[in-house]
Amino acid sequence: MPHALFRHPRGAQVDSALAVKVCGPSRRKAAGEQVAAPRLSDKLTVDQVCAELGIAKSSFYDWRQKGRAPRCIRLPNGALRIRRSDLENWLADCEDRT
């Protein structure tokens, strides 16, 4: 069975098999399928983490420099985010050390 051609948004015709190979499967949802939106609360800002821990931002950055802070994600704009799960795991590890 020949692959269907579809028109790329920039006007070129593209073979559907090649598009799947290069771009991955379509992310469109099927009829009736629910697509879960990423939850913003899963990732915290440094300010939110500091407020939750009751510490100054300078303390957080000191811990980070010394390798004692929870694992962080650096965004393309340079901002840091901390996954809620990483923070909870880090807190559990801190409890275990005491």
Side-chain angles (χ1 to χ4, degrees):
M1 175 171 128
H3 298 286
L5 293 177
F6 71 94
R7 187 161 295 281
H8 187 274
R10 293 191 182 127
Q13 285 191 344
V14 180
D15 184 334
S16 63
L18 177 64
V20 170
K21 185 183 269 186
V22 173
C23 302
S26 174
R27 301 219 184 264
R28 293 181 184 166
K29 65 179 184 173
E33 181 183 349
Q34 296 291 329
V35 176
R39 295 185 306 173
L40 295 177
S41 63
D42 287 347
K43 293 176 187 67
L44 305 170
T45 64
V46 172
D47 289 335
Q48 291 171 323
V49 170
C50 291
E52 189 168 319
L53 297 176
I55 61 169
K57 282 174 52 172
S58 60
S59 296
F60 179 85
Y61 288 115
D62 286 343
W63 293 350
R64 183 166 158 72
Q65 186 176 17
K66 295 174 184 174
R68 296 182 188 164
R71 198 169 88 177
C72 299
I73 302 167
R74 183 169 301 279
L75 300 178
N77 66 358
L80 295 176
R81 294 292 183 270
I82 299 92
R83 286 186 186 93
R84 166 74 56 192
S85 59
D86 288 339
L87 177 62
E88 290 172 0
N89 291 337
W90 177 80
L91 286 171
D93 289 344
C94 289
E95 289 176 0
D96 291 344
R97 283 187 236 147
T98 59

